[in-house]
């Protein structure tokens, strides 16, 4: 086991809804593939995630559905958890931000900032409902957009024309809960002084220039250069953790203040030792996987909190992702445009999870926005997984079975004369895993997948060129055995290097078909990938096609099942 300790975090997910596939490729899946690679490579790996329970979106949804917000978030949290399990997201812990541990850490975190002089107090104007006797968060104020006249604009922004304006510009403002006219009123709040830490923050961002992806670095730089305004970190709602300060008893922390602290408290929930090793002691490496809309919070807002608090380690790498579209359009629940993950839990859903993961890997929005296309899922499954990867296993195993009774009777000794084809393939077995590992290491997962498929193609090419069937006819049995020996060993290597992406399939291939012991998905197994794992006298087991082809009929069925959005109200009602 390598000594380096790595913490991998996936952005905490809002539980006012259920994830669609854009959320999966936008952080959970890349974080999972990276975590699986780190375990396989032998790093002391911890992978944490959780539901972000607080915030006004959940309050609004609870109001709409007509249930207490605790009940809504607790139930949806469990649905989230099940979806990630179904997709094989290998969290060491998937918790949430509404726990005692989290409340304690958040409160202490804040008091430290307060003590260090990074908190200021001030007043802001907010809409107030005289009837409900409460200040209204932006999402609870509805009015007419001053720009386009859309009558359902919320607070200070219009989702129809994407414009942002000041609260006082919103026309005909009224309370979303009761419909009464809303009035602007002053309210006392606390602010995080971001400007004080900007020098140190900038130095930290600069130190990440060659580690972060260019779009992440430039976005962070842009925010710093534009100047950091103090940020209000309290809210006039009931849902969240109370601000532990005199005069603020009726306010809670802004969700973006407590949510990122969740990484710390969820790690602590997992184990006190891990919390100390990863967050307090020097030398650990923290990797944050975050969606496009979270980059600012993770490169500016949260690091400033950490720098000002002075207690915890900052992230080593920030893997910022972009957005995913669906068949050229934006995901839309109301228009049923997209792939909604709740349907993966449906009994009718029979899509193979590994082929799904493999396709999703090809569209991880690493450097730009990408597009989900069902036709591409079909093509990736049929031509890459069945045609290249599966084909190599299938033909190799079948020839070993038919020609040599399922046994490898070859041993690579010094007196064996290798031709150029053999030398090339032996060199591929010893060097390809290293190249693939470099891609994983940089979280370039699409590249890793491409290299894996290239590796399989090299194997197929080797068989084509060496033509063991012709060697058998010519009764060059030793030659044929040698070719199949190398082919079997490529298969074994492939199981290990592909294990972060298609873990279920490779485990079954390794154990049930290649007939090897151990588990190619286990920790610290990676170095076996560049070895010759198939020894003389080894017997293979059963041969079965490992990937199923997807035809149009099946594709239509997947599409129909998985594009059914989640009806929160119906679900909550069914569970009461
Ligand atoms: Zn508008
Ligand atoms: Zn009202």
């Amino acid at each position: 086991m390598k000594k380096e300790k790595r913490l991998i975090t996936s952005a905490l997910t809002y539980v006012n809804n259920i994830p669609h596939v854009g959320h999966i490729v936008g952080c959970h899946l890349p974080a999972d593939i990276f975590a699986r690679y780190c375990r396989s490579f032998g790093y002391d790996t911890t992978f944490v995630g959780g539901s972000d329970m607080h915030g006004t979106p959940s309050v609004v949804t609870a109001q709409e559905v007509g249930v207490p917000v605790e009940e809504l978030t607790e139930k949806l949290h469990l649905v989230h958890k099940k979806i990630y399990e179904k997709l094989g997201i290998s969290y060491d812990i998937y918790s949430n931000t509404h726990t005692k541990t989290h409340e304690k850490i958040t409160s202490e975190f804040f008091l430290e900032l307060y003590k260090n002089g990074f908190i200021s107090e001030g007043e802001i104007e907010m809409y107030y409902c005289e009837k409900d006797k409460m200040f209204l968060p932006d999402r609870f104020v509805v009015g007419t957009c001053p720009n386009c006249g859309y009558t359902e604009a919320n607070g200070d922004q219009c989702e129809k024309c994407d414009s942002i304006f000041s609260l006082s510009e919103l026309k005909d403002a009224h309370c979303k809960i009761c419909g009464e006219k809303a009035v602007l009123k002053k309210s006392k709040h606390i602010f995080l002084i971001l400007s004080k830490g900007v020098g140190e923050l900038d130095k930290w961002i600069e130190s990440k220039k060659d580690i972060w992806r260019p779009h992440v670095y430039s976005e962070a730089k842009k925010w710093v250069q534009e100047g950091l305004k103090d940020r209000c970190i309290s809210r006039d709602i009931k849902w969240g953790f109370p601000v532990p300060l005199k005069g603020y008893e009726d306010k809670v922390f802004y969700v973006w203040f407590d949510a990122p602290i969740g990484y710390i408290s969820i790690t602590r929930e997992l184990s006190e030792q891990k919390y100390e090793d990863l967050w307090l002691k020097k030398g650990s490496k923290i990797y944050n996987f975050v969606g496009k809309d979270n980059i600012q919070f993770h490169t500016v807002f949260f690091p400033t909190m950490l720098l000002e608090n002075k207690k915890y380690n900052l992230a080593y790498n920030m893997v910022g992702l972009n957005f995913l579209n669906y068949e050229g359009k934006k995901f839309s629940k109301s228009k049923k445009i997209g792939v909604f993950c709740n349907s993966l839990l449906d009994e009718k859903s029979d899509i193979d999870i590994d082929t799904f993961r493999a396709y999703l890997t090809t569209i991880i929005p690493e450097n730009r926005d990408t597009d989900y296309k069902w036709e591409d899922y079909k093509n990736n499954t049929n031509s890459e997984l069945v045609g290249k990867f599966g084909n190599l296993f299938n033909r190799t195993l079948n020839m070993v079975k038919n020609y040599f009774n399922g046994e490898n009777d070859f041993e690579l000794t010094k007196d064996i004369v290798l031709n150029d084809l053999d030398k090339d393939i032996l060199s591929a077995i010893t060097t390809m895993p290293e190249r693939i590992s470099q891609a994983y290491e940089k979280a370039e997962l699409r590249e890793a997948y491409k290299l894996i498929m290239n590796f399989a193609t090299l194997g197929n090419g080797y068989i084509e060129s060496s033509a063991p069937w012709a060697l058998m006819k010519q009764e060059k049995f030793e030659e044929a055995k040698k070719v199949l020996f190398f082919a079997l060993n490529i298969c074994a290597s492939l199981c290990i290097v592909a294990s972060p992406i298609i873990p279920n399939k490779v485990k079954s291939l390794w154990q049930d078909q290649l007939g090897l012991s151990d588990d190619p998905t286990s920790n610290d197994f990676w170095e076996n990938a560049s070895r010759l794992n198939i020894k003389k006298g080894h017997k293979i087991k059963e041969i079965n096609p490992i990937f199923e082809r997807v035809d149009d009929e099946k594709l239509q069925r997947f599409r129909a099942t998985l594009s059914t959005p989640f009806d929160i109200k119906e679900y909550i009602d069914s569970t009461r």
Side-chain angles (χ1 to χ4, degrees), residues 129-134 136 175-180:
C129 173
E130 300 281 2
K131 196 172 166 202
D132 288 313
K133 302 241 174 308
M134 65 182 274
L136 301 170
C175 168
K176 195 171 175 173
I177 309 164
C178 70
E180 279 294 300

Side-chain angles (χ1 to χ4, degrees), residues 145 147-150 158 160-161 163:
C145 167
N147 188 41
C148 75
Y150 179 56
C158 171
K160 182 127 186 248
C161 69
S163 63

